Amino acid sequence: MRNWSIGVIGLAGLAAIVGASYTSPEALLAVAVLIAAGVGIGWPHFLGIPAKKTLAVLIGLPGIGAAVAATYVPAPGFLDWTPSFMAAGVMAIFVMQLIRGTGQAQRLESTLGSSAGVMLSSLGAGWIACSRFNGVREMVLVAAISAAVALLAGLIRWPDRVVAPLGVVAAGLAGPLAGLVFSDIAVLPAAIVGVVVGAVLVSFRRLVILRGESLSFAAALGIGLGPVSAVGSLAYFIDKLLIF
């Protein structure tokens, strides 16, 4: 698939998150579960590592568990269970690699890359925490708009030395603008969310460029939804630190 398809997948994920956050907690949970499953299925394909089906389960399940916990645990500990699911997922991957035995192909790459996938999958619970925090959903919208702007900037076929700062600056400007138009969120927190989200997303663009190969749909799904999942927790913690 062409690289622009990754941006389209990311934008679709963001749209689903925003729409579900304004619908019901169950709808947002369903979207978070689908994103975690998408990261689980696609991340091993993006990395090009063996045992893709087994790793898909080990990467996706912690994200699904973290999303369910973030939906139903009492406030304010929305993400209290997320580190536990991350740890369980990483431990399961190490056990799986031990079972595979020594001398297997790409064993180290598989272990490290899959552990990163567990983190990406689990961090998606942050979108749910962000939506539940203080009952204010506007930060979800601000973060999603900033991420969308960064993704759109990443679609420009210019060198990284131009696109990377452009994406960060554009997302940093989109955050405060979205905050002023759609909510009462102060300019500073919205700007910080935009800059951080933009930096994360343009970094993942670099991963795609470094891979330098045509991507299958599954690989595009993993690299498209992975950063979208991750920025949910970033938005939540910035929201908690600077607004609460």
Side-chain angles (χ1 to χ4, degrees):
M1 297 184 71
R2 296 180 182 273
N3 288 346
W4 60 262
S5 62
I6 298 171
V8 173
I9 290 171
L11 290 171
L14 288 170
I17 289 168
V18 172
S21 68
Y22 283 89
T23 303
S24 68
E26 291 75 19
L28 184 56
L29 173 60
V31 170
V33 167
L34 290 175
I35 289 177
V39 175
I41 293 169
W43 194 248
H45 286 270
F46 176 73
L47 296 178
I49 52 181
K52 292 179 177 61
K53 293 181 180 180
T54 303
L55 288 173
V57 174
L58 297 182
I59 293 172
L61 281 181
I64 293 172
V68 172
T71 301
Y72 294 110
V73 298
F78 308 118
L79 298 184
D80 283 357
W81 283 91
T82 300
S84 299
F85 283 108
M86 285 184 183
V90 172
M91 289 173 61
I93 286 171
F94 272 85
V95 171
M96 177 238 180
Q97 297 299 336
L98 289 173
I99 293 173
R100 287 183 68 202
T102 58
Q104 296 295 322
Q106 296 180 299
R107 196 178 181 202
L108 178 60
E109 297 90 333
S110 179
T111 303
L112 296 178
S114 299
S115 297
V118 169
M119 294 182 64
L120 292 176
S121 173
S122 300
L123 288 174
W127 287 111
I128 297 172
C130 198
S131 178
R132 291 186 64 192
F133 184 59
N134 285 344
V136 177
R137 298 181 178 86
E138 282 76 8
M139 182 54 84
V140 174
L141 183 60
V142 169
I145 290 175
S146 299
V149 170
L151 286 173
L152 289 172
L155 297 178
I156 301 174
R157 300 185 67 178
W158 290 349
D160 254 4
R161 62 180 180 274
V162 177
V163 174
L166 176 64
V168 173
V169 171
L173 293 174
L177 181 60
L180 291 172
V181 173
F182 298 109
S183 72
D184 296 326
I185 296 174
V187 171
L188 179 60
I192 293 175
V193 167
V195 170
V196 173
V197 167
V200 170
L201 290 173
V202 296
S203 299
F204 276 86
R205 179 182 186 270
R206 183 61 181 169
L207 284 179
V208 177
I209 294 174
L210 290 174
R211 193 174 188 273
E213 299 176 3
S214 178
L215 300 176
S216 64
F217 174 76
L221 190 68
I223 194 62
L225 295 179
V228 168
S229 179
V231 297
S233 288
L234 292 174
Y236 167 68
F237 285 114
I238 293 172
D239 189 2
K240 189 173 183 179
L241 290 171
L242 297 182
I243 296 181
F244 181 65

